[in-house]
mmCIF file of all heavy atoms in Angstrom:
data_model
loop_
_atom_site.group_PDB
_atom_site.id
_atom_site.type_symbol
_atom_site.label_atom_id
_atom_site.label_comp_id
_atom_site.label_asym_id
_atom_site.label_seq_id
_atom_site.Cartn_x
_atom_site.Cartn_y
_atom_site.Cartn_z
ATOM 1 N N ASP A 7 80.504 39.875 87.914
ATOM 2 C CA ASP A 7 80.230 40.609 86.671
ATOM 3 C C ASP A 7 80.596 42.078 86.807
ATOM 4 O O ASP A 7 81.135 42.710 85.887
ATOM 5 C CB ASP A 7 78.736 40.457 86.311
ATOM 6 C CG ASP A 7 78.382 39.033 85.892
ATOM 7 O OD1 ASP A 7 79.345 38.309 85.497
ATOM 8 O OD2 ASP A 7 77.211 38.689 85.925
ATOM 9 N N ALA A 8 80.276 42.643 87.987
ATOM 10 C CA ALA A 8 80.591 44.067 88.213
ATOM 11 C C ALA A 8 82.103 44.285 88.203
ATOM 12 O O ALA A 8 82.616 45.267 87.624
ATOM 13 C CB ALA A 8 79.988 44.528 89.547
ATOM 14 N N ALA A 9 82.814 43.363 88.839
ATOM 15 C CA ALA A 9 84.278 43.495 88.866
ATOM 16 C C ALA A 9 84.856 43.371 87.470
ATOM 17 O O ALA A 9 85.768 44.104 87.073
ATOM 18 C CB ALA A 9 84.866 42.429 89.797
ATOM 19 N N ALA A 10 84.289 42.433 86.713
ATOM 20 C CA ALA A 10 84.786 42.251 85.338
ATOM 21 C C ALA A 10 84.492 43.476 84.495
ATOM 22 O O ALA A 10 85.296 43.907 83.666
ATOM 23 C CB ALA A 10 84.135 41.005 84.722
ATOM 24 N N SER A 11 83.297 44.054 84.720
ATOM 25 C CA SER A 11 82.944 45.267 83.966
ATOM 26 C C SER A 11 83.861 46.425 84.318
ATOM 27 O O SER A 11 84.307 47.188 83.446
ATOM 28 C CB SER A 11 81.477 45.632 84.257
ATOM 29 O OG SER A 11 81.120 46.823 83.579
ATOM 30 N N ASP A 12 84.153 46.557 85.638
ATOM 31 C CA ASP A 12 85.069 47.627 86.075
ATOM 32 C C ASP A 12 86.455 47.440 85.472
ATOM 33 O O ASP A 12 87.099 48.412 85.027
ATOM 34 C CB ASP A 12 85.150 47.638 87.609
ATOM 35 C CG ASP A 12 83.835 48.106 88.240
ATOM 36 O OD1 ASP A 12 83.034 48.746 87.510
ATOM 37 O OD2 ASP A 12 83.650 47.824 89.438
ATOM 38 N N GLN A 13 86.897 46.190 85.459
ATOM 39 C CA GLN A 13 88.226 45.902 84.922
ATOM 40 C C GLN A 13 88.267 46.206 83.426
ATOM 41 O O GLN A 13 89.233 46.770 82.907
ATOM 42 C CB GLN A 13 88.589 44.431 85.177
ATOM 43 C CG GLN A 13 89.975 44.049 84.668
ATOM 44 C CD GLN A 13 91.064 44.794 85.421
ATOM 45 O OE1 GLN A 13 90.951 45.019 86.640
ATOM 46 N NE2 GLN A 13 92.104 45.228 84.708
ATOM 47 N N LYS A 14 87.172 45.841 82.743
ATOM 48 C CA LYS A 14 87.104 46.087 81.297
ATOM 49 C C LYS A 14 87.114 47.576 81.006
ATOM 50 O O LYS A 14 87.774 48.036 80.073
ATOM 51 C CB LYS A 14 85.843 45.434 80.749
ATOM 52 C CG LYS A 14 85.740 45.509 79.236
ATOM 53 C CD LYS A 14 84.506 44.757 78.760
ATOM 54 C CE LYS A 14 84.419 44.807 77.244
ATOM 55 N NZ LYS A 14 83.211 44.068 76.749
ATOM 56 N N ARG A 15 86.361 48.342 81.858
ATOM 57 C CA ARG A 15 86.331 49.787 81.659
ATOM 58 C C ARG A 15 87.698 50.415 81.935
ATOM 59 O O ARG A 15 88.151 51.310 81.233
ATOM 60 C CB ARG A 15 85.260 50.391 82.576
ATOM 61 C CG ARG A 15 85.058 51.899 82.333
ATOM 62 C CD ARG A 15 83.776 52.403 83.002
ATOM 63 N NE ARG A 15 83.718 52.043 84.400
ATOM 64 C CZ ARG A 15 82.915 51.125 84.921
ATOM 65 N NH1 ARG A 15 82.082 50.437 84.117
ATOM 66 N NH2 ARG A 15 82.897 50.871 86.226
ATOM 67 N N ALA A 16 88.399 49.933 82.954
ATOM 68 C CA ALA A 16 89.740 50.454 83.274
ATOM 69 C C ALA A 16 90.731 50.163 82.159
ATOM 70 O O ALA A 16 91.550 51.008 81.781
ATOM 71 C CB ALA A 16 90.229 49.847 84.592
ATOM 72 N N ASP A 17 90.631 48.917 81.627
ATOM 73 C CA ASP A 17 91.531 48.566 80.519
ATOM 74 C C ASP A 17 91.267 49.433 79.295
ATOM 75 O O ASP A 17 92.189 49.863 78.589
ATOM 76 C CB ASP A 17 91.351 47.084 80.150
ATOM 77 C CG ASP A 17 91.839 46.158 81.270
ATOM 78 O OD1 ASP A 17 92.618 46.660 82.115
ATOM 79 O OD2 ASP A 17 91.461 44.972 81.263
ATOM 80 N N SER A 18 89.979 49.703 79.067
ATOM 81 C CA SER A 18 89.623 50.530 77.904
ATOM 82 C C SER A 18 90.156 51.943 78.053
ATOM 83 O O SER A 18 90.683 52.543 77.117
ATOM 84 C CB SER A 18 88.098 50.553 77.734
ATOM 85 O OG SER A 18 87.728 51.415 76.676
ATOM 86 N N GLU A 19 90.019 52.472 79.281
ATOM 87 C CA GLU A 19 90.534 53.834 79.525
ATOM 88 C C GLU A 19 92.051 53.883 79.382
ATOM 89 O O GLU A 19 92.614 54.847 78.851
ATOM 90 C CB GLU A 19 90.108 54.298 80.920
ATOM 91 C CG GLU A 19 88.618 54.569 81.032
ATOM 92 C CD GLU A 19 88.222 54.939 82.440
ATOM 93 O OE1 GLU A 19 89.127 54.891 83.321
ATOM 94 O OE2 GLU A 19 87.052 55.280 82.682
ATOM 95 N N ALA A 20 92.720 52.833 79.888
ATOM 96 C CA ALA A 20 94.185 52.795 79.789
ATOM 97 C C ALA A 20 94.621 52.734 78.338
ATOM 98 O O ALA A 20 95.570 53.401 77.920
ATOM 99 C CB ALA A 20 94.727 51.582 80.575
ATOM 100 N N THR A 21 93.889 51.913 77.545
ATOM 101 C CA THR A 21 94.227 51.808 76.116
ATOM 102 C C THR A 21 94.009 53.118 75.397
ATOM 103 O O THR A 21 94.814 53.561 74.574
ATOM 104 C CB THR A 21 93.381 50.707 75.471
ATOM 105 O OG1 THR A 21 93.577 49.483 76.163
ATOM 106 C CG2 THR A 21 93.723 50.560 73.997
ATOM 107 N N THR A 22 92.921 53.774 75.737
ATOM 108 C CA THR A 22 92.605 55.059 75.103
ATOM 109 C C THR A 22 93.639 56.113 75.437
ATOM 110 O O THR A 22 94.097 56.878 74.589
ATOM 111 C CB THR A 22 91.221 55.536 75.537
ATOM 112 O OG1 THR A 22 90.259 54.554 75.204
ATOM 113 C CG2 THR A 22 90.858 56.855 74.856
ATOM 114 N N SER A 23 94.041 56.132 76.740
ATOM 115 C CA SER A 23 95.023 57.146 77.166
ATOM 116 C C SER A 23 96.384 56.897 76.542
ATOM 117 O O SER A 23 97.127 57.815 76.192
ATOM 118 C CB SER A 23 95.131 57.171 78.698
ATOM 119 O OG SER A 23 95.586 55.913 79.173
ATOM 120 N N SER A 24 96.731 55.586 76.379
ATOM 121 C CA SER A 24 98.043 55.280 75.811
ATOM 122 C C SER A 24 98.085 55.536 74.314
ATOM 123 O O SER A 24 99.139 55.764 73.737
ATOM 124 C CB SER A 24 98.413 53.819 76.105
ATOM 125 O OG SER A 24 97.475 52.965 75.471
ATOM 126 N N SER A 25 96.938 55.460 73.648
ATOM 127 C CA SER A 25 96.912 55.668 72.202
ATOM 128 C C SER A 25 96.895 57.135 71.810
ATOM 129 O O SER A 25 97.014 57.472 70.648
ATOM 130 C CB SER A 25 95.679 54.955 71.608
ATOM 131 O OG SER A 25 94.489 55.523 72.122
ATOM 132 N N LYS A 26 96.708 58.016 72.788
ATOM 133 C CA LYS A 26 96.717 59.445 72.470
ATOM 134 C C LYS A 26 98.125 59.889 72.067
ATOM 135 O O LYS A 26 99.089 59.529 72.729
ATOM 136 C CB LYS A 26 96.252 60.257 73.682
ATOM 137 C CG LYS A 26 94.773 60.099 73.981
ATOM 138 C CD LYS A 26 94.381 60.977 75.151
ATOM 139 C CE LYS A 26 92.877 60.844 75.447
ATOM 140 N NZ LYS A 26 92.499 61.692 76.601
ATOM 141 N N PRO A 27 98.284 60.626 70.967
ATOM 142 C CA PRO A 27 99.625 61.090 70.540
ATOM 143 C C PRO A 27 100.205 62.085 71.524
ATOM 144 O O PRO A 27 99.491 62.885 72.123
ATOM 145 C CB PRO A 27 99.340 61.761 69.180
ATOM 146 C CG PRO A 27 97.909 62.177 69.247
ATOM 147 C CD PRO A 27 97.212 61.132 70.092
ATOM 148 N N GLU A 28 101.535 61.937 71.734
ATOM 149 C CA GLU A 28 102.221 62.866 72.619
ATOM 150 C C GLU A 28 102.258 64.252 71.980
ATOM 151 O O GLU A 28 102.378 64.390 70.766
ATOM 152 C CB GLU A 28 103.651 62.384 72.882
ATOM 153 C CG GLU A 28 103.678 61.066 73.630
ATOM 154 C CD GLU A 28 105.099 60.641 73.904
ATOM 155 O OE1 GLU A 28 106.014 61.380 73.454
ATOM 156 O OE2 GLU A 28 105.311 59.619 74.543
ATOM 157 N N PRO A 29 102.166 65.267 72.760
ATOM 158 C CA PRO A 29 102.191 66.644 72.198
ATOM 159 C C PRO A 29 103.549 66.930 71.567
ATOM 160 O O PRO A 29 104.594 66.626 72.127
ATOM 161 C CB PRO A 29 101.935 67.531 73.423
ATOM 162 C CG PRO A 29 102.310 66.689 74.602
ATOM 163 C CD PRO A 29 102.008 65.278 74.223
ATOM 164 N N ARG A 30 103.599 67.478 70.330
ATOM 165 C CA ARG A 30 104.832 67.820 69.614
ATOM 166 C C ARG A 30 105.117 69.300 69.709
ATOM 167 O O ARG A 30 104.198 70.102 69.915
ATOM 168 C CB ARG A 30 104.710 67.415 68.132
ATOM 169 C CG ARG A 30 104.630 65.928 67.918
ATOM 170 C CD ARG A 30 104.547 65.597 66.442
ATOM 171 N NE ARG A 30 103.324 66.134 65.844
ATOM 172 C CZ ARG A 30 103.056 66.034 64.546
ATOM 173 N NH1 ARG A 30 103.923 65.428 63.729
ATOM 174 N NH2 ARG A 30 101.928 66.531 64.068
ATOM 175 N N GLU A 31 106.418 69.594 69.568
ATOM 176 C CA GLU A 31 106.797 71.001 69.598
ATOM 177 C C GLU A 31 106.203 71.718 68.390
ATOM 178 O O GLU A 31 106.105 71.161 67.303
ATOM 179 C CB GLU A 31 108.324 71.139 69.574
ATOM 180 C CG GLU A 31 108.980 70.576 70.811
ATOM 181 C CD GLU A 31 110.478 70.786 70.767
ATOM 182 O OE1 GLU A 31 110.952 71.352 69.762
ATOM 183 O OE2 GLU A 31 111.154 70.394 71.730
ATOM 184 N N GLU A 32 105.860 72.930 68.601
ATOM 185 C CA GLU A 32 105.240 73.720 67.538
ATOM 186 C C GLU A 32 106.267 74.019 66.452
ATOM 187 O O GLU A 32 107.368 74.487 66.741
ATOM 188 C CB GLU A 32 104.691 75.024 68.129
ATOM 189 C CG GLU A 32 103.903 75.840 67.119
ATOM 190 C CD GLU A 32 103.305 77.088 67.746
ATOM 191 O OE1 GLU A 32 103.433 77.240 68.977
ATOM 192 O OE2 GLU A 32 102.716 77.886 67.008
ATOM 193 N N HIS A 33 106.010 73.762 65.173
ATOM 194 C CA HIS A 33 106.919 73.961 64.039
ATOM 195 C C HIS A 33 106.701 75.342 63.421
ATOM 196 O O HIS A 33 105.562 75.703 63.097
ATOM 197 C CB HIS A 33 106.675 72.873 62.991
ATOM 198 C CG HIS A 33 107.560 73.012 61.792
ATOM 199 N ND1 HIS A 33 108.926 72.815 61.860
ATOM 200 C CD2 HIS A 33 107.273 73.325 60.501
ATOM 201 C CE1 HIS A 33 109.436 73.007 60.660
ATOM 202 N NE2 HIS A 33 108.454 73.330 59.827
ATOM 203 N N ASP A 34 107.848 76.111 63.265
ATOM 204 C CA ASP A 34 107.773 77.456 62.698
ATOM 205 C C ASP A 34 108.413 77.436 61.312
ATOM 206 O O ASP A 34 109.635 77.403 61.188
ATOM 207 C CB ASP A 34 108.503 78.454 63.608
ATOM 208 C CG ASP A 34 108.298 79.883 63.135
ATOM 209 O OD1 ASP A 34 107.719 80.083 62.060
ATOM 210 O OD2 ASP A 34 108.735 80.809 63.855
ATOM 211 N N PRO A 35 107.650 77.443 60.247
ATOM 212 C CA PRO A 35 108.220 77.399 58.885
ATOM 213 C C PRO A 35 109.134 78.574 58.583
ATOM 214 O O PRO A 35 110.145 78.436 57.908
ATOM 215 C CB PRO A 35 106.973 77.405 57.986
ATOM 216 C CG PRO A 35 105.855 76.953 58.853
ATOM 217 C CD PRO A 35 106.181 77.438 60.229
#
């Protein structure tokens, strides 16, 4: 159960990190 929980937490962190938008260049109007 502990291993499964650790794996679930790692997958969640990986999903969260991958869903973060990449930083864009600053736009100057």
Side-chain angles (χ1 to χ4, degrees):
D7 291 339
S11 178
D12 291 341
Q13 181 65 37
K14 186 176 181 180
R15 186 166 52 252
D17 293 341
S18 176
E19 290 176 356
T21 304
T22 302
S23 62
S24 63
S25 63
K26 289 182 179 179
E28 296 182 358
R30 293 181 297 177
E31 295 182 359
E32 186 177 355
H33 180 68
D34 187 353

